[in-house]
PDB file of all heavy atoms in Angstrom:
ATOM      1  N   LEU E 356      -4.932 -45.068  -1.600  1.00 97.00           N
ATOM      2  CA  LEU E 356      -5.455 -44.064  -2.424  1.00 97.00           C
ATOM      3  C   LEU E 356      -4.612 -44.002  -3.805  1.00 97.00           C
ATOM      4  O   LEU E 356      -5.037 -43.935  -4.947  1.00 97.00           O
ATOM      5  CB  LEU E 356      -5.577 -42.806  -1.841  1.00 97.00           C
ATOM      6  CG  LEU E 356      -6.189 -41.605  -2.643  1.00 97.00           C
ATOM      7  CD1 LEU E 356      -7.634 -42.048  -2.991  1.00 97.00           C
ATOM      8  CD2 LEU E 356      -6.170 -40.338  -2.049  1.00 97.00           C
ATOM      9  N   ALA E 357      -3.269 -44.063  -3.607  1.00 96.00           N
ATOM     10  CA  ALA E 357      -2.442 -43.982  -4.770  1.00 96.00           C
ATOM     11  C   ALA E 357      -2.500 -45.261  -5.601  1.00 96.00           C
ATOM     12  O   ALA E 357      -2.186 -45.148  -6.824  1.00 96.00           O
ATOM     13  CB  ALA E 357      -0.937 -43.856  -4.350  1.00 96.00           C
ATOM     14  N   ARG E 358      -2.972 -46.345  -5.055  1.00 96.00           N
ATOM     15  CA  ARG E 358      -3.100 -47.554  -5.779  1.00 96.00           C
ATOM     16  C   ARG E 358      -4.432 -47.751  -6.607  1.00 96.00           C
ATOM     17  O   ARG E 358      -4.454 -48.235  -7.734  1.00 96.00           O
ATOM     18  CB  ARG E 358      -3.135 -48.745  -4.915  1.00 96.00           C
ATOM     19  CG  ARG E 358      -1.688 -49.101  -4.251  1.00 96.00           C
ATOM     20  CD  ARG E 358      -1.826 -50.436  -3.510  1.00 96.00           C
ATOM     21  NE  ARG E 358      -0.642 -50.612  -2.737  1.00 96.00           N
ATOM     22  CZ  ARG E 358      -0.430 -50.472  -1.496  1.00 96.00           C
ATOM     23  NH1 ARG E 358      -1.330 -50.016  -0.742  1.00 96.00           N
ATOM     24  NH2 ARG E 358       0.709 -50.649  -0.887  1.00 96.00           N
ATOM     25  N   ILE E 359      -5.453 -46.908  -6.190  1.00 96.00           N
ATOM     26  CA  ILE E 359      -6.764 -47.133  -6.765  1.00 96.00           C
ATOM     27  C   ILE E 359      -7.201 -45.849  -7.430  1.00 96.00           C
ATOM     28  O   ILE E 359      -8.296 -45.929  -8.170  1.00 96.00           O
ATOM     29  CB  ILE E 359      -7.851 -47.524  -5.690  1.00 96.00           C
ATOM     30  CG1 ILE E 359      -7.997 -46.659  -4.578  1.00 96.00           C
ATOM     31  CG2 ILE E 359      -7.387 -48.983  -5.112  1.00 96.00           C
ATOM     32  CD1 ILE E 359      -9.214 -46.878  -3.622  1.00 96.00           C
ATOM     33  N   ALA E 360      -6.601 -44.713  -7.355  1.00 95.00           N
ATOM     34  CA  ALA E 360      -7.092 -43.440  -7.908  1.00 95.00           C
ATOM     35  C   ALA E 360      -6.120 -42.957  -9.104  1.00 95.00           C
ATOM     36  O   ALA E 360      -4.990 -43.226  -8.926  1.00 95.00           O
ATOM     37  CB  ALA E 360      -7.190 -42.400  -6.794  1.00 95.00           C
ATOM     38  N   ILE E 361      -6.755 -42.445 -10.240  1.00 92.00           N
ATOM     39  CA  ILE E 361      -5.960 -41.900 -11.157  1.00 92.00           C
ATOM     40  C   ILE E 361      -5.118 -40.673 -10.651  1.00 92.00           C
ATOM     41  O   ILE E 361      -3.897 -40.597 -10.834  1.00 92.00           O
ATOM     42  CB  ILE E 361      -6.825 -41.529 -12.369  1.00 92.00           C
ATOM     43  CG1 ILE E 361      -7.413 -42.710 -13.024  1.00 92.00           C
ATOM     44  CG2 ILE E 361      -6.099 -40.662 -13.335  1.00 92.00           C
ATOM     45  CD1 ILE E 361      -6.448 -43.604 -13.615  1.00 92.00           C
ATOM     46  N   THR E 362      -5.774 -39.867  -9.941  1.00 91.00           N
ATOM     47  CA  THR E 362      -5.058 -38.571  -9.441  1.00 91.00           C
ATOM     48  C   THR E 362      -4.485 -39.058  -7.904  1.00 91.00           C
ATOM     49  O   THR E 362      -5.205 -39.872  -7.370  1.00 91.00           O
ATOM     50  CB  THR E 362      -6.049 -37.496  -9.174  1.00 91.00           C
ATOM     51  OG1 THR E 362      -7.094 -37.729  -8.398  1.00 91.00           O
ATOM     52  CG2 THR E 362      -6.630 -37.014 -10.516  1.00 91.00           C
ATOM     53  N   ARG E 363      -3.440 -38.532  -7.536  1.00 91.00           N
ATOM     54  CA  ARG E 363      -2.728 -38.941  -6.392  1.00 91.00           C
ATOM     55  C   ARG E 363      -2.332 -37.800  -5.550  1.00 91.00           C
ATOM     56  O   ARG E 363      -1.282 -37.378  -5.390  1.00 91.00           O
ATOM     57  CB  ARG E 363      -1.541 -39.745  -6.759  1.00 91.00           C
ATOM     58  CG  ARG E 363      -1.940 -40.949  -7.563  1.00 91.00           C
ATOM     59  CD  ARG E 363      -0.561 -41.900  -7.795  1.00 91.00           C
ATOM     60  NE  ARG E 363      -0.869 -43.102  -8.446  1.00 91.00           N
ATOM     61  CZ  ARG E 363      -0.015 -44.058  -8.933  1.00 91.00           C
ATOM     62  NH1 ARG E 363       1.307 -43.809  -8.606  1.00 91.00           N
ATOM     63  NH2 ARG E 363      -0.328 -45.085  -9.452  1.00 91.00           N
ATOM     64  N   PRO E 364      -3.435 -37.185  -4.941  1.00 96.00           N
ATOM     65  CA  PRO E 364      -3.043 -36.054  -4.099  1.00 96.00           C
ATOM     66  C   PRO E 364      -2.352 -36.320  -2.881  1.00 96.00           C
ATOM     67  O   PRO E 364      -2.565 -37.553  -2.347  1.00 96.00           O
ATOM     68  CB  PRO E 364      -4.556 -35.474  -3.845  1.00 96.00           C
ATOM     69  CG  PRO E 364      -5.411 -36.716  -3.761  1.00 96.00           C
ATOM     70  CD  PRO E 364      -4.817 -37.518  -4.921  1.00 96.00           C
ATOM     71  N   GLU E 365      -1.648 -35.471  -2.204  1.00 96.00           N
ATOM     72  CA  GLU E 365      -0.990 -35.679  -0.934  1.00 96.00           C
ATOM     73  C   GLU E 365      -2.110 -35.933   0.072  1.00 96.00           C
ATOM     74  O   GLU E 365      -3.120 -35.072   0.120  1.00 96.00           O
ATOM     75  CB  GLU E 365      -0.085 -34.653  -0.620  1.00 96.00           C
ATOM     76  CG  GLU E 365       0.545 -34.628   0.690  1.00 96.00           C
ATOM     77  CD  GLU E 365       1.450 -33.418   1.128  1.00 96.00           C
ATOM     78  OE1 GLU E 365       1.504 -32.531   0.302  1.00 96.00           O
ATOM     79  OE2 GLU E 365       1.919 -33.466   2.295  1.00 96.00           O
ATOM     80  N   VAL E 366      -1.963 -36.657   1.036  1.00 98.00           N
ATOM     81  CA  VAL E 366      -2.932 -36.777   2.152  1.00 98.00           C
ATOM     82  C   VAL E 366      -2.253 -36.413   3.489  1.00 98.00           C
ATOM     83  O   VAL E 366      -1.164 -36.803   3.727  1.00 98.00           O
ATOM     84  CB  VAL E 366      -3.321 -38.419   2.352  1.00 98.00           C
ATOM     85  CG1 VAL E 366      -4.356 -38.386   3.567  1.00 98.00           C
ATOM     86  CG2 VAL E 366      -4.089 -38.703   1.137  1.00 98.00           C
ATOM     87  N   ARG E 367      -2.859 -35.458   4.137  1.00 98.00           N
ATOM     88  CA  ARG E 367      -2.337 -34.936   5.456  1.00 98.00           C
ATOM     89  C   ARG E 367      -3.395 -35.055   6.355  1.00 98.00           C
ATOM     90  O   ARG E 367      -4.576 -35.042   6.245  1.00 98.00           O
ATOM     91  CB  ARG E 367      -1.981 -33.446   5.305  1.00 98.00           C
ATOM     92  CG  ARG E 367      -0.924 -33.085   4.376  1.00 98.00           C
ATOM     93  CD  ARG E 367      -0.732 -31.533   4.325  1.00 98.00           C
ATOM     94  NE  ARG E 367       0.169 -31.204   3.226  1.00 98.00           N
ATOM     95  CZ  ARG E 367       0.525 -29.930   2.873  1.00 98.00           C
ATOM     96  NH1 ARG E 367      -0.007 -28.938   3.574  1.00 98.00           N
ATOM     97  NH2 ARG E 367       1.284 -29.577   1.933  1.00 98.00           N
ATOM     98  N   SER E 368      -2.955 -35.231   7.682  1.00 97.00           N
ATOM     99  CA  SER E 368      -3.770 -35.283   8.893  1.00 97.00           C
ATOM    100  C   SER E 368      -3.964 -33.877   9.298  1.00 97.00           C
ATOM    101  O   SER E 368      -3.327 -33.020   9.149  1.00 97.00           O
ATOM    102  CB  SER E 368      -3.039 -35.986   9.989  1.00 97.00           C
ATOM    103  OG  SER E 368      -2.844 -37.477   9.618  1.00 97.00           O
ATOM    104  N   SER E 369      -5.105 -33.744  10.040  1.00 95.00           N
ATOM    105  CA  SER E 369      -5.536 -32.489  10.699  1.00 95.00           C
ATOM    106  C   SER E 369      -4.301 -31.969  11.450  1.00 95.00           C
ATOM    107  O   SER E 369      -3.675 -32.793  12.166  1.00 95.00           O
ATOM    108  CB  SER E 369      -6.655 -32.527  11.433  1.00 95.00           C
ATOM    109  OG  SER E 369      -6.961 -31.414  12.188  1.00 95.00           O
ATOM    110  N   ALA E 370      -4.094 -30.672  11.288  1.00 92.00           N
ATOM    111  CA  ALA E 370      -2.987 -30.078  12.110  1.00 92.00           C
ATOM    112  C   ALA E 370      -3.382 -28.930  13.130  1.00 92.00           C
ATOM    113  O   ALA E 370      -2.599 -28.028  13.339  1.00 92.00           O
ATOM    114  CB  ALA E 370      -1.799 -29.557  11.077  1.00 92.00           C
ATOM    115  N   LEU E 371      -4.574 -29.201  13.541  1.00 92.00           N
ATOM    116  CA  LEU E 371      -5.165 -28.162  14.485  1.00 92.00           C
ATOM    117  C   LEU E 371      -4.956 -28.633  15.905  1.00 92.00           C
ATOM    118  O   LEU E 371      -5.168 -29.728  16.347  1.00 92.00           O
ATOM    119  CB  LEU E 371      -6.563 -27.786  14.219  1.00 92.00           C
ATOM    120  CG  LEU E 371      -6.865 -27.198  12.846  1.00 92.00           C
ATOM    121  CD1 LEU E 371      -8.292 -27.253  12.629  1.00 92.00           C
ATOM    122  CD2 LEU E 371      -6.396 -25.881  12.696  1.00 92.00           C
ATOM    123  N   PRO E 372      -4.634 -27.702  16.830  1.00 87.00           N
ATOM    124  CA  PRO E 372      -4.332 -28.056  18.298  1.00 87.00           C
ATOM    125  C   PRO E 372      -5.669 -28.352  19.020  1.00 87.00           C
ATOM    126  O   PRO E 372      -5.753 -28.988  20.098  1.00 87.00           O
ATOM    127  CB  PRO E 372      -3.604 -26.946  18.818  1.00 87.00           C
ATOM    128  CG  PRO E 372      -3.962 -25.684  17.969  1.00 87.00           C
ATOM    129  CD  PRO E 372      -4.178 -26.285  16.589  1.00 87.00           C
ATOM    130  N   GLY E 373      -6.776 -27.752  18.524  1.00 88.00           N
ATOM    131  CA  GLY E 373      -7.962 -27.908  19.229  1.00 88.00           C
ATOM    132  C   GLY E 373      -9.128 -28.421  18.398  1.00 88.00           C
ATOM    133  O   GLY E 373      -8.947 -28.896  17.261  1.00 88.00           O
TER     134      GLY E 373
END
Side-chain angles (χ1 to χ4, degrees):
L356 182 61
R358 292 189 183 98
I359 63 176
I361 292 294
T362 60
R363 298 180 177 182
E365 179 184 358
V366 177
R367 296 180 187 171
S368 296
S369 171
L371 296 169

